[in-house]
């Protein structure tokens, strides 16, 4: 396997339909190990994503503003230190009666007095993205992966297996920014989700469900494809340390938007039991989806599924949708457009304006100005 993997990575092939997410390349101080090839021969990597919050903080219910205030206080103390340093520099470097000669060295060159680095500078530097190259796990070096596993058992790390480049139909195997944005919102509003039963549509690698599992009672993380669901289940197992303090549970299930019913075949992997379907319909109060609006047909299918499930829920629920607006130049328009986002907005408007006498939907935009709890690049298109 290692020889095949080495050959694949030495000779990467990017076809016209290859899609690449760069989220995993911005993980400070953590390597990316290729751990295996999946069922279709794609290299699977393990990345470590830094949580700017420990599970102890999640379990204790400490409010966000308490930690934020602590950071602001640290920043202010750094600024005070900086002001003090500037004062010292001014006292030492002020022009004396001889003029600029006081700032010249023995050769007559001007000596530039640089501002000392403050604590706030060092703290900000920790949050800068550090582009990291993948490390391939070679034959005979299996112990390297074991060392990495031992190093990353801390409560402030999310471990995710994923691929790095896939055809469009396999993009769920990658990690996308909108999943992090939704995870940030979950942590920011965690008291809202505490004890909830949650359904995620198009869960992919499972990272958003994993974060939700740290605060909610039960999460049904759904997608299609046995290979993808197996990867998602593996990621849930890798991050059980996040769920254990709060007693959360994550169930990985198949949910095909192109089908009208839940898969209940007991012989099929990741199928639903009658008890699980009943639990979902009786208790689900939150539905979420992140970065699943990239294909118009799939967007239509998702909204049909969304309507069907919410129509059958016993209680009202809140749906959280996160996405990244991706601008593309199209020959059809000879201009930069965002067609997938435009179709999403139109479909969302249709749902809000729906008048069938059975369901009522209201839409609210959430500004993404809440705190950031995961290390990633939060761009304005999110």
């Amino acid at each position: 396997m290692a020889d095949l993997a080495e050959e694949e990575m030495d000779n990467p092939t990017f076809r016209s339909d290859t899609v690449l997410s760069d989220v995993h390349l911005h993980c400070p101080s953590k390597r990316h190990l290729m751990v295996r090839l999946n069922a279709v021969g794609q290299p699977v990597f393990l990345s470590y994503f830094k949580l700017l919050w420990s599970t102890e903080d999640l379990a204790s219910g400490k409010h966000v503003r308490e930690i934020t205030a602590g950071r602001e206080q640290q920043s202010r103390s750094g600024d005070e230190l900086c002001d003090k340093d500037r004062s010292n520099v001014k006292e030492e470097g002020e022009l004396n009666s001889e003029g600029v000669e006081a700032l010249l060295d023995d050769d007559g060159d001007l000596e530039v007095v640089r501002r000392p680095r403050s604590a706030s500078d060092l703290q900000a530097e920790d949050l800068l993205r550090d582009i990291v190259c993948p490390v391939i796990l070679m034959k005979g070096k299996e112990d390297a992966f074991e060392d990495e596993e031992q190093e990353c058992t801390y409560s402030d790390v999310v471990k995710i297996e994923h691929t790095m480049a896939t055809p469009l139909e396999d993009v769920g195997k990658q990690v996308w920014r909108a999943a992090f944005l939704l995870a940030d919102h979950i942590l920011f509003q965690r008291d809202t989700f505490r004890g909830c039963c949650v359904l995620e549509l198009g869960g992919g690698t499972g990272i958003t469900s994993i974060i939700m599992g740290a605060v909610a009672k039960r999460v049904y993380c759904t997608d299609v494809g046995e290979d993808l669901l197996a990867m998602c289940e593996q990621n849930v197992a890798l991050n059980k340390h996040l769920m254990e303090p709060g007693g959360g549970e994550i169930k990985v299930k198949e949910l095909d938007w192109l089908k009208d019913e839940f898969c209940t075949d007991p012989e099929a992997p990741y199928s639903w039991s009658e008890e699980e379907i009943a639990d979902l319909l009786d208790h689900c109060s939150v539905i979420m989806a992140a970065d699943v609006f990239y294909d118009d047909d799939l967007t239509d299918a998702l909204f049909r599924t969304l309507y069907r499930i919410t129509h059958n829920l016993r209680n009202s629920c809140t749906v959280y949708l996160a996405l990244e607006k991706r601008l593309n130049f199209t020959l059809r328009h000879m201009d930069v457009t965002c067609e997938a986002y435009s179709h999403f907005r139109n479909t969302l408007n249709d749902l809000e304006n729906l008048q069938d006498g059975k369901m009522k939907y209201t839409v609210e935009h959430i500004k993404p100005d809440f705190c950031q709890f995961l290390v990633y690049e939060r761009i304005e298109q999110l």
Side-chain angles (χ1 to χ4, degrees):
M1 184 189 81
D3 292 339
L4 287 173
E6 181 181 1
E7 182 179 342
E8 280 214 21
M9 295 305 294
D10 286 342
N11 301 284
T13 302
F14 292 94
R15 304 177 309 192
S16 60
D17 64 342
T18 296
V19 182
L20 173 66
S21 167
D22 66 346
V23 169
H24 51 272
L25 296 179
H26 309 302
C27 308
S29 305
K30 295 299 175 186
R31 294 187 295 156
H32 306 277
L33 292 174
M34 199 205 83
V35 292
R36 59 186 173 87
L37 293 177
N38 62 20
V40 293
Q42 298 164 339
V44 175
F45 289 81
L46 179 67
S47 289
Y48 308 106
F49 297 99
K50 176 73 173 177
L51 259 173
L52 303 177
W53 206 333
S54 69
T55 50
E56 287 78 7
D57 294 324
L58 289 175
S60 66
K62 190 179 295 182
H63 284 289
V64 175
R65 51 180 170 269
E66 293 177 1
I67 297 180
T68 304
R71 287 175 181 162
E72 288 175 351
Q73 184 178 0
Q74 184 177 359
S75 178
R76 283 197 297 271
S77 65
D79 292 339
E80 291 169 3
L81 175 63
C82 183
D83 292 336
K84 182 178 179 181
D85 292 335
R86 288 196 191 98
S87 176
N88 291 338
V89 169
K90 183 176 180 181
E91 291 174 4
E92 295 171 3
E94 278 184 332
L95 295 179
N96 59 16
S97 58
E98 280 83 24
V100 296
E101 284 79 3
L103 297 179
L104 302 181
D105 62 14
D106 296 337
D107 298 328
D109 298 321
L110 181 66
E111 286 189 327
V112 179
V113 180
R114 300 188 182 276
R115 176 174 68 87
R117 302 180 72 187
S118 68
S120 59
D121 294 332
L122 297 174
Q123 183 187 22
E125 187 178 84
D126 290 339
L127 297 180
L128 293 177
R129 66 181 189 178
D130 186 10
I131 297 181
V132 186
C133 294
V135 176
I136 303 172
L137 189 62
M138 306 294 292
K139 183 181 290 186
K141 296 184 179 179
E142 286 81 359
D143 57 333
F145 176 64
E146 294 175 3
D147 293 341
E148 205 77 16
E149 278 287 288
Q150 293 175 3
E151 178 186 350
C152 290
T153 56
Y154 310 116
S155 61
D156 61 348
V157 171
V158 184
K159 295 176 280 188
I160 296 292
E161 285 193 3
H162 61 90
T163 56
M164 287 192 175
T166 64
L168 188 62
E169 63 267 20
D170 279 340
V171 291
K173 296 176 182 177
Q174 299 189 53
V175 184
W176 301 95
R177 287 190 187 95
F180 286 91
L181 183 72
L182 186 51
D184 278 344
H185 183 72
I186 292 167
L187 294 176
F188 183 67
Q189 296 285 354
R190 67 195 182 284
D191 288 342
T192 302
F193 305 108
R194 203 175 299 280
C196 288
C197 177
V198 181
L199 169 67
E200 181 174 14
L201 301 174
T205 60
I207 187 167
T208 309
S209 282
I210 289 168
I211 296 299
M212 180 64 86
V215 295
K217 178 181 180 181
R218 185 176 300 107
V219 181
Y220 290 97
C221 180
T222 68
D223 216 310
V224 292
E226 185 176 347
D227 194 42
L228 173 59
L229 293 171
M231 176 188 289
C232 181
E233 191 172 52
Q234 170 68 2
N235 287 332
V236 171
L238 286 172
N239 293 280
K240 59 184 180 181
H241 61 284
L242 295 176
M243 280 80 74
E244 285 173 348
E249 178 185 19
I250 299 177
K251 294 191 174 187
V252 179
K253 297 293 176 180
E254 177 182 322
L255 184 55
D256 191 339
W257 306 340
L258 300 177
K259 297 179 180 178
D260 294 333
E261 301 294 337
F262 292 95
C263 176
T264 57
D265 181 1
E267 300 297 323
Y270 308 105
S271 63
W272 296 73
S273 68
E274 295 297 336
E275 292 77 14
E276 289 167 337
I277 296 175
D279 175 58
L280 177 73
L281 299 181
D282 288 344
H283 301 107
C284 180
S285 60
V286 175
I287 299 176
M288 60 181 185
D291 240 333
V292 295
F293 306 102
Y294 55 88
D295 177 89
D296 291 355
D297 292 337
L298 287 179
T299 296
D300 293 340
L302 181 139
F303 275 97
R304 286 195 299 269
T305 300
L306 193 61
Y307 175 80
R308 175 173 56 84
I309 292 176
T310 53
H311 178 73
N312 289 306
L313 292 180
R314 171 171 293 187
N315 304 303
S316 61
C317 81
T318 305
V319 183
Y320 295 88
L321 306 176
L323 70 158
E324 178 180 341
K325 294 171 64 175
R326 293 182 174 84
L327 303 174
N328 298 290
F329 179 85
T330 62
L331 293 176
R332 183 156 62 95
H333 294 93
M334 293 301 293
D335 197 3
V336 175
T337 63
C338 195
E339 292 186 289
Y341 177 75
S342 298
H343 185 78
F344 159 76
R345 291 295 310 186
N346 291 335
T347 311
L348 186 63
N349 290 337
D350 291 341
L351 187 67
E352 187 177 22
N353 296 327
L354 181 68
Q355 295 181 354
D356 63 355
K358 301 176 182 178
M359 303 289 296
K360 178 177 176 57
Y361 298 87
T362 57
V363 177
E364 177 185 351
H365 176 251
I366 300 174
K367 292 183 179 180
D369 56 359
F370 39 84
C371 297
Q372 184 168 342
F373 300 104
L374 285 150
V375 177
Y376 69 102
E377 185 180 22
R378 189 187 281 189
I379 62 176
E380 63 180 10
Q381 287 78 21
L382 287 174

